[in-house]
Every structure is written in C-alpha cells, then in structure tokens.
Amino acid sequence: MSSPEHIKQPLTKPEIGLSEFVALMAVMTSLVALSIDAMLPALSQIGQDLQIENAQDTHLIVSLFFIGMGFGQLYYGPVSDDKGRRYAILSGLIIFAIGSVICMLAESLTVMLVGRVIQAFGVSGPRIAALAVIRDKYEGEAMARVMSFIMMVFILVPMVAPSFGQAVMFWASWRHIFSSFLLIGLLVGLWFFIRQPETLPKEMRQPFSWSQLWQSSKFILTHKLVMFYTLSMGLSFGAFLAYISASQTIFQHIYDAGELFPLYFALLAFSIGFASFINGTLVMRLGMRTLCTWAMIGWLIFSSLLLALCWFYAGIPPMLMFVSVLFCAFFCIGILFGNINAMAMQPLGSMAGLGAAIIGSLSSLFSVPIAVFIGGFIELTVTPIAVGFCVFGLISFVFYWKAE
C-alpha cells in the first residue's frame, strides 16, 4: 500500500501573478483608450467619406463615446456585483464587438454615432469589472500602487494608438480600424477567460433588486467623500477630454504638424505614463492625498502659464512652448487620475462594482458636456483649451479640497 506522501494531490490552478495581472487589467481597461485614440488620425477621412458638412461634428465620434460609457457603467456595475466580474467582462466584449461591426459598416454620421455608443456601452463592462477586480484584491495605498502600475502599462496604448490607426489607414481604409478592434477584443477575451479566475465569490455577491440598488446608490450618492472626489475627477477630465477630442484639429490644422501628429500625441501621453510610474513608487510612502494636492496645484500653475502664453502669442504659442507646458500639466494629470479614483472607491468595499459604475458614469456625464462646450470654440486657436484647463481645474480643486 502506498504511503500518504505518495498519494497524488488534486491539481489546482495557480493564481495569476502580479505582473500578468497588471498587464491583463491594463490591456482590458486600455480598450477604451484604443477605441478613442486609434480613431483620431481618421477623423478627417471619416468626415469626407460620410459627407459630414461641419468638420467640428467629427469631434462627436470621440465625445459621444463617453455618453455610451456613462450608461454602460451604470448597467455593468450592478451586473458585476450580481453575476460576477467574469460575466460582466465577457458579455461587455460581445457588445463591444457588435458596436464595432456597426461602425465598420456605417454609411452616415448617425449610424456611426449609434455604433460608437453601442461600442462604448459594451467596453464599459471590461472597464468597470476590471476596477472591481482590482478592488476585490487590493485596497488603500496598495490599490493606488497597483493602479499606478496599471496606468503605466495602460498609457502605452494612447502613445501608439494614433500611429496604429495611421498605419491601418496607410495599408487599408479607416473601416479596418474597427475590424482590428474585433480581433483585439477577441484575443483579450480569451486571455481573460483562460487566465483570470472569478474574484467575487458567490456568497459575497449582491443579487440584483431595485430596493438594494436604491439603498446602495443612496449610500454612494450621499457619501460626501465619494461624491466630491467624483465631481473633482469629472471636471478635470472634462477639460482633458476637450484636448483629446480636438487633438487632431490642434496639431494637424492649427499647428500644421501633418503626419507628425501621432508623435506629438505619444510624447504627451508618455508624460502621463511617466507620472503614473513615479506615483507608484511614492504613493505608499507619501500617501494619495499629499500627492494629489501637489498635483492639483501643479495642474493649475501650468494651466495658468498656458493661458498667459496664449494671451501673449494671440492664441497660438510656439509649438515647443505649447507641447512643453502641456507635458508638465499632463504629468500632474497622471498623478491625479489614479489616486482620486482610488480615494473615491476606498469607502465602498463589497459594493465596488456599483461604486465604480456610479463614479465612472457621473465623471463621464460631467466631462462630456464640458468637452463638447470647450471643443465648440476650438477652431483657429488653442486659447479655449487653456481657458478650460484653468476654469474647470479651479472648480475641480475646490471639490477636491472640500472632500476631506
């Protein structure tokens, strides 16, 4: 008879390592950035092919994406708390694929915008559930540290996405940008399905009910710290989104950068990624609040400097000055976003899915009108960007300061 030590034990699937976990979560959340930034070089061509009369209407292809995300996050938050994180992620990727097909076949701006909203609704599943997965595994400064490392990987996507979109257009049409989204979504879904186990056990799930949704939502919406941080994030992101939406107009039309547009865009995206790396190395020692305070002050200082340059140079500062000031301002943004989101999520515990949904939805629903409002003034100068950074940055700072 064999001794006990010779009896084979059942094999268990090893838990995913930190490096792979960071990479997987970063790739899933970066589907949002890919869906936005890869389209930027194609906006002019899309406008021509779809016969869009007002060139500024092409900005809606970017801005309305966040409307779809706002509603999608409200749906997928409760779903991820009820049915689990894996269900929310995989079903969201399927809807994302449907929206991508609609955009790929669009023959009018209306159909394109419908496809973009559906696409955004679907990609909200991976985004919200990924945040909930991170919150399931980490909290406090540890969560902020992991979020910073995820942001560092995540930011590589905006750096290369415009070049990716431009490369696709070099070899094929802009429609194949959407077919590439289908392939990438499939690969990400398979990676997640095979490697990442469920992080919300069945006994900890919150079955959906309207009464429970009302109670949980009421707790979140009346929590001063959560709401003030959410408002602060939405206001600052709105000004930033205005830059993202109009970046092609700024670099290719106002500054006549031509095919160098992806290079400038990547350089400024690198600033955010570098800030996230620095944040990840400092947050455990200095704390989220201290880093955010300094970043908020820096954001206001560099926004004011940009406004002064716009005044002095009649709305179009020299390219080197413009990019240099934005590089410093976006470094501050890179410190802010991961930390403020983690601070807003901190009190929410087991309702992390719904919390991430409400935080994400409110910040998106605040940011989109701000971005559309600022973008409506961007035509011949970058002054509207500078004014938006200053005004909404200052209001954001007020809500941030009042949070605690």
Side-chain angles (χ1 to χ4, degrees), residues 32 65-77 88-89 92-93 96 117-131 357 361 364:
V32 173
F65 189 88
F66 288 89
I67 293 292
M69 281 192 62
F71 289 105
Q73 289 171 122
L74 283 176
Y75 170 76
Y76 277 110
I89 288 171
L93 287 172
F96 172 73
V117 170
I118 294 173
Q119 194 183 38
F121 187 96
V123 84
S124 300
R127 183 186 184 279
I128 283 298
L131 288 174
S361 296
S364 294

Side-chain angles (χ1 to χ4, degrees), residues 4-12:
E5 59 266 25
H6 292 125
I7 297 176
K8 290 185 177 180
Q9 300 297 322
L11 295 175
T12 58

